[in-house]
Amino acid sequence: MNSPAPPHGENAAPRTPVTVLTGFLGSGKTTLLNRILTERHGQRIAVIENEFGPESIDTDLLVREASEEIVEMSNGCLCCSVRGDLARVLENLAVRRARDELRFDRVVIETTGMADPGPVAQTIFLEPGVAAAYRLDAILTVIDACHGLPTLAAHPEARAQVGYADRLLVSKTDLVQAADLPELADALARINPRAPILWMRQGRANLDELLDVGAFDAASVLREHTAERDAHGKNPGHDPGDCHHHGHEAAHVRNGEHTPDVASFAFTTDRPFDADRLEQLLSALAEGLGVDLYRCKGVLWVEGEARQVVVQAVQLTIAVDRGAPWGTMPRRSRLVFIGRDLPADAIRDSLARCLVESADQLVPG
């Protein structure tokens, strides 16, 4: 199984957090980026844009290096364009910072409006030179409140961007009636029920809600799991042998033909997983589903493990980490899948076959 982070020794320098900012054409990404690049927020951020141009910057430029296409803004942020390979750009920035030629504390990468953010995440996870210097903090998706619903209905790229998201940023809320927003919120939740929705006006967003999300940290997944468990409470009539399957599964039908769509579903059980069977299945899922698996996240009870097992996946990359000890808390597993036309029933059946067959076979952790 792949891990999104290489082993990190005690004496190694901390890796720079990277935020991926995506969203469909006209969603408001540039407006948000302009505010990041120009407002006095006190953070030194390197913004990497795929579609860089002077018309997108509405402030005086202090330093311009044409050969590297790096612009230093009046608030200390950097703006860098991608004219080639993203890995090369990130590695170059890291080298120049190590030489004290550049100063920045974090990176924001903007994708193009039609782009799939998955390959960007894969670059950070799998390119050795990048993974050694950077860590993925979160994927943020901007949605236009005015045109969000028809855009989601018409464009699979927009639905995919929502599926990858750790935060959903709804822009232009000042241009629509408040009564229209719940329908958009419902549509977003049907695609990605695990991503919080943040409402923006005129591109204004609280950076504290966008940065240091830690969406790919095991501790963050455990916090989500604990909050969800506490919110739902304990079901007194629950059969420990049951598996619960639920989610938002959808498919579009156009001209009488089925077309792939983005949907989510969850697998929940109070029975432990067999470690060997689970590892084989997770590897097979990553390879078999490939780019159609946008995100997978969950906390699992594995037989013989005293600690919670945290699973995360983006496309072909699956990471498995050990979390906090179970202690006296009820042991329960929950995995959430988000992707394009995923075979939900087959995945659920495969997961069920990885469970320990009888609670009497448990080995105390």
Side-chain angles (χ1 to χ4, degrees):
M1 274 178 276
N2 295 314
S3 171
H8 202 55
E10 293 181 2
N11 298 324
R15 291 174 296 147
T16 303
V18 178
T19 300
V20 176
L21 181 65
T22 188
F24 201 70
L25 298 167
S27 61
K29 298 190 302 298
T30 299
T31 302
L32 176 59
L33 280 173
N34 273 333
R35 295 196 177 279
I36 291 175
L37 285 169
T38 59
E39 289 191 350
R40 298 288 177 180
H41 43 64
Q43 304 223 30
R44 299 187 68 88
I45 304 172
V47 174
I48 299 177
E49 292 191 278
N50 283 349
E51 298 175 307
F52 176 78
E55 67 276 6
S56 69
I57 305 301
D58 59 6
T59 190
D60 294 333
L61 309 182
L62 295 187
V63 179
R64 188 184 199 95
E65 301 184 23
S67 61
E68 299 293 344
E69 300 183 66
I70 295 175
V71 174
E72 183 175 340
M73 312 308 298
S74 58
N75 66 351
C77 290
L78 300 173
C79 188
C80 178
S81 63
V82 175
R83 300 297 188 190
D85 179 61
L86 176 61
R88 176 185 57 78
V89 173
L90 286 168
E91 290 174 2
N92 180 54
L93 286 173
V95 168
R96 295 191 62 185
R97 186 177 67 169
R99 295 173 180 167
D100 290 329
E101 297 175 6
L102 298 174
R103 293 178 57 203
F104 59 92
D105 302 311
R106 63 182 70 250
V107 175
V108 175
I109 301 174
E110 179 202 18
T111 70
T112 58
M114 298 289 286
D116 179 340
V120 177
Q122 293 292 299
T123 296
I124 300 168
F125 292 154
L126 300 180
E127 289 289 339
V130 176
Y134 300 93
R135 62 175 177 82
L136 183 57
D137 182 61
I139 298 174
L140 312 179
T141 299
V142 182
I143 302 98
D144 179 352
C146 299
H147 306 291
L149 285 172
T151 297
L152 290 173
H155 298 283
E157 299 89 351
R159 298 193 292 275
Q161 291 166 352
V162 170
Y164 278 106
D166 298 293
R167 297 285 187 273
L168 297 167
L169 315 178
V170 180
S171 64
K172 309 177 187 178
T173 57
D174 51 314
L175 303 181
V176 299
Q177 297 293 324
D180 296 333
L181 295 178
E183 185 178 1
L184 176 58
D186 289 344
L188 296 174
R190 283 196 296 273
I191 297 172
N192 187 340
R194 49 167 290 276
I197 298 175
L198 307 178
W199 308 94
M200 297 193 303
R201 295 174 62 89
Q202 299 178 342
R204 296 185 182 277
N206 185 351
L207 284 185
D208 291 340
E209 296 180 310
L210 309 184
L211 305 178
D212 294 324
V213 173
F216 292 85
D217 297 340
S220 173
V221 181
L222 289 172
R223 285 194 298 271
E224 290 180 19
H225 181 76
T226 300
E228 181 180 75
R229 183 195 67 218
D230 293 344
H232 289 285
K234 186 176 180 180
N235 183 354
H238 183 59
D239 179 355
D242 283 348
C243 299
H244 299 277
H245 312 145
H246 53 86
H248 302 281
E249 291 145 8
H252 283 208
V253 177
R254 297 188 185 129
N255 300 323
E257 296 183 358
H258 172 275
T259 62
D261 200 11
V262 182
S264 66
F265 66 93
F267 178 92
T268 304
T269 179
D270 286 349
R271 288 168 52 191
F273 281 96
D274 177 86
D276 293 337
R277 279 181 280 173
L278 177 64
E279 181 174 1
Q280 293 175 10
L281 175 62
L282 291 178
S283 297
L285 286 177
E287 181 177 352
L289 300 176
V291 297
D292 289 336
L293 178 61
Y294 299 155
R295 298 296 294 272
C296 173
K297 181 178 286 193
V299 176
L300 306 183
W301 174 19
V302 177
E303 181 185 20
E305 280 285 349
R307 293 179 175 271
Q308 302 171 72
V309 175
V310 180
V311 175
Q312 298 191 73
V314 177
Q315 292 189 345
L316 298 172
T317 303
I318 287 188
V320 179
D321 297 299
R322 266 56 179 183
W326 282 107
T328 59
M329 71 178 69
R331 301 193 178 195
R332 193 176 194 224
S333 298
R334 177 175 169 82
L335 269 174
V336 177
F337 293 83
I338 302 173
R340 178 177 57 197
D341 212 30
L342 297 180
D345 289 341
I347 294 173
R348 289 163 171 162
D349 290 344
S350 297
L351 286 167
R353 287 195 294 271
C354 293
L355 299 175
V356 173
E357 296 180 2
S358 171
D360 295 333
Q361 299 174 2
L362 293 185
V363 177

